[in-house]
Amino acid sequence: MADNVVYVGNKPPMSYVLAVITLFNEGNKTVILKARGKAISTAVDVCELTRNRFLSELEVNEIRTGTEELPRREGGTINTSTIEITLSK
Amino acid sequence: MADNVVYVGNKPPMSYVLAVITLFNEGNKTVILKARGKAISTAVDVCELTRNRFLSELEVNEIRTGTEELPRREGGTINTSTIEITLSK
């Protein structure tokens, strides 16, 4: 697990914003937001909140989407969309 | 309103996938998916479903995020995140 990655889940966006700010303050030049399924919207919120309210010099380098197969409890797999947003100073 | 834009809302993803396929079949070279708020995750689903199941030659040209101010019923405004995904043949 790379240490400049923030996995966005179903907590309020601000907790992930704080994680992003902390990683930049620790000296990272890039921070990657990763999310899947419904948390994708939250990842975009985190990106926008961080840039509009806290680190206005941040740039969105790249946004990539993908598909992941997740195992289902009942057996078989289900496809979920993913997003990776690369932010840099 | 440009005619190669699909506004993704809270219908099931497949209805938007169908809209995208129709626009490409009508001769458009690019189709733009636009969504805001929770529908952002659905827009990514639409992008992934279209590429993985129907039009594998499609490329994601650009993904842009943004923030929009929406008026609230109670007065004032609320900020919402937006996404624009540009697909091309």
Side-chain angles (χ1 to χ4, degrees):
Chain A
M1 201 191 271
D3 48 1
N4 67 334
V5 174
V6 174
Y7 291 88
V8 176
N10 50 21
K11 290 187 211 163
M14 281 304 289
S15 45
Y16 304 108
V17 171
L18 206 70
V20 171
I21 294 172
T22 306
L23 284 172
F24 277 116
N25 284 345
E26 284 172 4
N28 289 284
K29 296 291 172 218
T30 64
V31 172
I32 303 174
L33 292 167
K34 291 193 184 189
R36 56 190 178 199
K38 294 202 185 305
I40 289 174
S41 315
T42 314
V44 174
D45 288 339
V46 173
C47 168
E48 289 296 309
L49 277 169
T50 311
R51 295 179 67 208
N52 295 338
R53 294 210 204 149
F54 301 98
L55 301 171
S56 51
E57 78 275 22
L58 278 196
E59 286 190 15
V60 178
N61 272 93
E62 197 188 11
I63 304 182
R64 274 199 287 180
T65 62
T67 303
E68 252 177 49
E69 272 192 359
L70 297 179
R72 298 203 303 177
R73 238 171 263 169
E74 315 89 89
T77 57
I78 192 166
N79 285 336
T80 317
S81 302
T82 61
I83 201 167
E84 279 189 32
I85 303 176
T86 308
L87 297 167
S88 71
K89 266 200 176 170
Chain B
M1 197 190 275
D3 48 1
N4 66 334
V5 175
V6 174
Y7 291 89
V8 176
N10 50 21
K11 290 187 212 164
M14 281 304 289
S15 46
Y16 305 108
V17 171
L18 206 69
V20 172
I21 294 172
T22 306
L23 284 172
F24 278 117
N25 284 343
E26 284 172 3
N28 290 284
K29 297 290 172 218
T30 64
V31 171
I32 303 174
L33 293 167
K34 290 192 184 188
R36 57 189 177 201
K38 295 204 183 305
I40 288 174
S41 314
T42 313
V44 174
D45 287 339
V46 172
C47 168
E48 289 296 310
L49 277 169
T50 311
R51 294 179 68 209
N52 296 337
R53 294 211 205 149
F54 301 98
L55 301 170
S56 50
E57 77 277 22
L58 279 196
E59 286 189 16
V60 177
N61 272 92
E62 198 187 8
I63 304 181
R64 274 198 288 181
T65 62
T67 303
E68 254 176 48
E69 270 192 0
L70 298 180
R72 297 203 304 176
R73 238 170 262 170
E74 314 89 89
T77 57
I78 190 167
N79 286 336
T80 318
S81 302
T82 62
I83 201 168
E84 279 189 31
I85 303 176
T86 307
L87 296 167
S88 72
K89 264 198 175 170

